[in-house]
Amino acid sequence: MEILTSLRSGDHRLTKRMAAWDSVLARQLLPPLEEAAEHTKLWWAAAVIMATGGGGQGRKAAAAGVTAMAVAELLSNGVAKQLVERRRPPKEWVPHDKVEDRPDSSSFPSGHTAAAVAFTAAIAPSCPWAGAACAVPMALVAIERVHSGAHYPSDVAAGAAIGLAAAALVRATPRLVVRHMG
């Protein structure tokens, strides 16, 4: 029990610290990035770019990314958020106006992070250049979710774990199907 109390305390301290982060990067880059990631628009745009300009390799990667993103969204928003009811971080912890623009759903896990990680992890093996290009906005989306007061760091970590699991599942499914049918 003491370990959970310590983890919760650290989660709360880190949330307050990240929400209070005030820099040019935080003020100018994170809000437009959050808007681009809303409803997975950023990842759909990356998939379109890969599918149209990346040849067969790009189309394969885009399909894997979109599929993994859909699985991650289903697992995070459709399953986990329904099972775990967690309040968003308190508004008084967030010293900027982004705190007013938060969802009413459970804080746990971060669906934005799950989608970003799933997409990026699924495309990277087939299209390393696109995976590397998506890694930076993926990480910034995770940071933004805590900075905006929408999530605790543990929500983001859980979202990342779901995203990695979704990408692994999508990447393994063709091999599993072939093995099962053969």
Side-chain angles (χ1 to χ4, degrees), residues 1-2 40 76 80 85 87 98 112 127 129 140-141 172-173:
M1 201 60 155
E2 196 172 308
T40 65
S76 63
E85 288 190 29
R87 292 166 132 344
K98 279 299 282 180
H112 284 77
C127 213
W129 62 269
L140 289 173
V141 164
T173 297

Side-chain angles (χ1 to χ4, degrees), residues 62-138:
V66 168
T67 304
M69 183 173 62
V71 170
E73 292 250 296
L74 174 67
L75 292 173
S76 63
N77 298 333
V79 176
K81 280 188 187 289
Q82 308 310 311
L83 296 174
V84 179
E85 288 190 29
R86 185 178 194 189
R87 292 166 132 344
R88 303 279 172 174
K91 290 182 178 186
E92 54 272 8
W93 291 6
V94 185
H96 49 80
D97 61 351
K98 279 299 282 180
V99 74
E100 299 303 324
D101 187 25
R102 303 186 309 173
D104 293 328
S105 60
S106 174
S107 177
F108 185 88
S110 168
H112 284 77
T113 303
V117 171
F119 182 84
T120 304
I123 67 169
S126 323
C127 213
W129 62 269
C134 288
V136 171
M138 174 199 74

Side-chain angles (χ1 to χ4, degrees), residues 42-55 58 62 129:
L42 177 62
W43 314 115
W44 278 101
V48 167
I49 291 167
M50 288 186 313
T52 57
W129 62 269

Side-chain angles (χ1 to χ4, degrees), residues 7-8 35-36 51 55 81 92 100-101 131-132 150 152-153 169 176:
L7 287 173
R8 188 175 298 120
E35 176 59 33
K81 280 188 187 289
E92 54 272 8
E100 299 303 324
D101 187 25
Y152 295 97
L169 179 65
L176 295 173

